[in-house]
């Protein structure tokens, strides 16, 4: 059985790590470079760095900060936010990222997924997807962009399938309904996307206690669980979460 991954997410705004609930009421919680080094020490499997204002501000990735974070971690490191061209992908990878997450920019220009996968390989191209419950959509979920602020006409399941067909090698699937609530992941959404696509799905949004991760990794069929608030608050360490998962029969690294 494949081992499940624990991924810590650093949402970055104006060079500082920030945390909000459902993309609102963000507060400053620390220096991303120091936090990345600490989670690496704790044994996290992967790190994700999202510049949450880059697309909305119409600018590219903060390469200097990415390179400083990359210098602290020797695990897969994924960067998202403001990556809108092949040149942005190249410069982000050269700054030290192993993968790039395309979210708003992929919706605006789906061919960017295809180009990126062709030049850098599918394993480097991650689709970041923010989905919100919407009964008018075929799957029951609508895709949002610009940090959850702008609704699109895309259905979550259809967009996931299209992105994988274009070359995305992984999907980080964030439930806006659950984001930052610490009340549990969106199991139905995660299971639906996990069953629909042949690539790894990382569940995001809602992790509050280790039992939530157990549930989304087992029932939601996710390949990995992304956490933020759980560890940022100091309530848990990556190690204590892995121990709890292992005790529940979830194979972890």
């Amino acid at each position: 059985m494949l081992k499940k991954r624990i991924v810590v997410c650093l949402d970055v705004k104006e060079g500082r790590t920030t945390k909000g609930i459902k993309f609102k009421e963000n507060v400053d919680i620390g220096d991303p470079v120091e936090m990345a080094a600490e989670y690496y020490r704790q044994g996290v499997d992967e790190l994700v760095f999202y510049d949450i204002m880059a697309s909305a501000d119409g600018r590219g990735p903060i390469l200097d900060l990415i390179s400083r974070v990359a210098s602290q971690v020797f695990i897969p490191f994924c960067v998202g936010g403001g990556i809108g061209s092949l040149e942005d992908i190249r410069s982000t990878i050269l700054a030290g990222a192993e993968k790039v997450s395309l979210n708003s920019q992929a919706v605006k220009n789906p061919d960017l997924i295809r180009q990126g996968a062709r030049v850098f390989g599918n394993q480097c191209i991650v689709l970041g997807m923010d989905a919100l419950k919407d009964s008018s959509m075929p799957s029951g979920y609508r895709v949002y962009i610009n940090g959850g602020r702008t609704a699109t006409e895309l259905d979550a399941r259809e967009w996931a399938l299209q992105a994988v067909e274009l070359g995305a090698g992984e999907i980080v699937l964030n439930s806006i309904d659950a984001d930052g609530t610490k009340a549990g992941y969106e199991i139905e959404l995660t299971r639906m996307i996990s069953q629909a696509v042949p690539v790894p799905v990382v569940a995001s949004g809602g992790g509050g206690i280790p039992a939530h991760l157990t549930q989304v990794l087992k029932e939601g069929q996710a390949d990995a669980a992304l956490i933020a608030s759980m560890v940022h608050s100091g309530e848990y360490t990556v190690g204590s979460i892995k121990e709890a998962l292992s005790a529940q029969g979830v194979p972890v690294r």
Side-chain angles (χ1 to χ4, degrees):
M1 193 179 188
L2 278 178
K3 291 193 172 171
K4 304 290 189 177
R5 290 172 288 143
I6 304 298
V7 182
V8 168
C9 178
L10 301 174
D11 283 334
V12 177
K13 183 180 181 183
E14 292 160 9
R16 299 283 292 174
T17 307
T18 181
K19 194 71 197 101
I21 297 175
K22 300 185 181 181
F23 293 103
K24 298 184 179 81
E25 299 162 23
N26 285 73
V27 291
D28 182 322
I29 55 170
D31 174 44
V33 181
E34 288 171 12
M35 291 173 78
E38 174 56 29
Y39 295 134
Y40 176 66
R41 278 194 295 273
Q42 288 182 19
V44 73
D45 299 311
E46 288 193 28
L47 199 67
V48 175
F49 171 112
Y50 286 135
D51 184 336
I52 61 169
M53 295 304 294
S55 285
D57 292 347
R59 59 171 172 74
I62 317 172
L63 299 174
D64 166 58
L65 186 55
I66 291 164
S67 145
R68 282 164 50 217
V69 170
S71 72
Q72 299 298 313
V73 299
F74 303 94
I75 48 173
F77 173 41
C78 179
V79 172
I83 298 171
S85 67
L86 265 186
E87 196 39 60
D88 286 339
I89 297 175
R90 181 177 285 109
S91 57
T92 302
I93 290 171
L94 287 173
E98 272 80 20
K99 309 176 187 179
V100 296
S101 176
L102 305 177
N103 189 322
S104 306
Q105 301 297 336
V107 169
K108 294 168 187 171
N109 174 23
D111 198 51
L112 183 60
I113 299 174
R114 190 184 58 76
Q115 293 173 2
R118 193 187 68 230
V119 176
F120 302 101
N122 305 63
Q123 78 288 346
C124 286
I125 307 299
V126 177
L127 177 74
M129 190 200 310
D130 294 312
L132 187 72
K133 269 185 187 159
D134 186 333
S135 58
S136 69
M137 301 306 281
S139 71
Y141 295 88
R142 183 185 293 273
V143 175
Y144 278 67
I145 58 170
N146 297 331
R149 287 182 288 278
T150 309
T152 72
E153 290 308 308
L154 292 171
D155 174 75
R157 187 174 181 278
E158 287 170 11
W159 175 228
L161 287 164
Q162 186 190 342
V164 170
E165 203 169 296
L166 285 164
E170 184 172 67
I171 295 175
V172 173
L173 174 63
N174 186 52
S175 160
I176 298 174
D177 299 288
D179 184 79
T181 62
K182 295 165 84 172
Y185 296 87
E186 181 79 69
I187 302 299
E188 186 189 338
L189 170 67
T190 309
R191 188 191 300 121
M192 174 180 64
I193 301 296
S194 296
Q195 288 176 347
V197 298
V199 300
V201 172
V202 182
S204 169
I209 56 173
H212 292 153
L213 281 81
T214 300
Q215 189 186 22
V216 82
L217 293 168
K218 284 184 169 179
E219 295 170 36
Q221 300 175 22
D223 297 272
L226 184 143
I227 53 175
S229 311
M230 280 178 80
V231 284
H232 295 342
S233 65
E235 202 173 341
Y236 296 94
T237 63
V238 174
S240 71
I241 293 168
K242 284 190 173 185
E243 279 171 26
L245 289 175
S246 199
Q248 291 300 312
V250 177
V252 289
R253 295 178 181 186

